[in-house]
């Protein structure tokens, strides 16, 4: 089973995103955040988050790059619950029970994409605002010599 983790390959995310995601957090596209946006919303750092920011489930931050890696079933269940709680706390979902299936769907879309790639593949997202809404496209860069585990370690520091 695969998902993606945020990566900071340099300090640029610190400069371009209002809330940069630290390396090693589980990530999804996060396009849901922009579903009601218009051109008027696309200014400054918000524009950068819209244009090419992956959404970190743990911190709600954004990252320019994510890397495909394995996820365990307990880790997957934890990110589902974390995202469902985020939908309640920040996006108006009535409760976790209502938000949980939506969180699962968001994560499953990302898992499905990640399953098509080798471990350590870098992914990039690009968004445009069209008359029909937000359009996302994805690019990938095949794995290099270094493992993502050099950047993102499974587990907890607790």
């Amino acid at each position: 089973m695969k998902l993606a983790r945020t990566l900071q390959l340099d300090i640029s995310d610190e400069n371009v995103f209002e809330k940069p995601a630290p390396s090693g957090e589980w990530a999804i596209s996060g396009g849901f955040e922009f579903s009601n946006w218009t051109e008027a919303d696309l200014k400054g750092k918000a524009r950068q988050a819209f244009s090419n920011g992956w959404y970190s489930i743990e911190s709600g931050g954004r990252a320019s790059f994510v890397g495909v890696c394995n996820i365990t079933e307990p880790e997957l269940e934890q990110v589902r619950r974390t995202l469902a709680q985020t939908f309640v706390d920040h996006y108006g979902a009535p409760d976790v029970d209502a938000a949980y299936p939506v969180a699962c769907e968001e994560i499953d879309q990302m898992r499905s994409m990640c399953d098509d790639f080798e471990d350590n593949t870098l992914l990039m997202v690009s968004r445009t605002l069209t008359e029909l809404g937000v359009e996302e496209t994805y690019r990938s860069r095949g794995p290099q010599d270094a493992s993502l585990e050099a950047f993102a370690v499974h587990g907890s520091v607790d």
Side-chain angles (χ1 to χ4, degrees):
M1 209 167 20
K2 296 180 184 183
L3 197 60
R5 286 192 183 265
T6 57
L7 294 172
Q8 280 194 3
L9 302 179
D10 58 28
I11 63 165
S12 61
D13 283 358
E14 298 289 329
N15 298 318
V16 299
F17 296 125
E18 188 69 38
K19 186 174 185 180
S23 280
E25 294 189 337
W26 294 111
I28 58 175
S29 160
F32 63 83
E33 189 171 26
F34 312 111
S35 62
N36 296 321
W37 282 35
T38 66
E39 285 292 332
D41 297 303
L42 299 177
K43 294 184 176 106
K45 291 184 177 187
R47 181 187 250 327
Q48 191 66 26
F50 171 83
S51 295
N52 70 347
W54 295 98
Y55 181 83
S56 165
I57 294 170
E58 286 98 336
S59 69
R62 292 283 172 172
S64 297
F65 299 98
V66 295
V68 175
C69 58
N70 291 319
I71 185 169
T72 66
E73 188 61 46
E75 289 172 315
L76 181 59
E77 184 57 27
Q78 181 59 49
V79 296
R80 288 174 177 148
R81 297 214 171 275
T82 299
L83 186 57
Q85 188 63 55
T86 298
F87 287 163
V88 172
D89 294 344
H90 301 288
Y91 295 100
D95 57 48
V96 171
D97 289 339
Y100 185 81
V102 179
C104 289
E105 184 178 326
E106 288 286 333
I107 292 167
D108 286 348
Q109 288 174 353
M110 188 71 180
R111 283 184 49 225
S112 177
M113 180 176 23
C114 290
D115 282 344
D116 292 339
F117 295 102
E118 293 179 62
D119 287 356
N120 302 320
T121 299
L122 291 179
L123 301 176
M124 290 128 308
V125 62
S126 179
R127 290 184 196 86
T128 55
L129 198 55
T130 70
E131 290 181 12
L132 298 175
V134 177
E135 181 179 299
E136 291 184 334
T137 56
Y138 307 98
R139 294 178 314 178
S140 65
R141 172 85 184 203
Q144 304 297 307
D145 292 335
S147 166
L148 289 179
E149 276 64 30
F151 301 100
V153 178
H154 288 265
S156 172
V157 294
D158 296 335

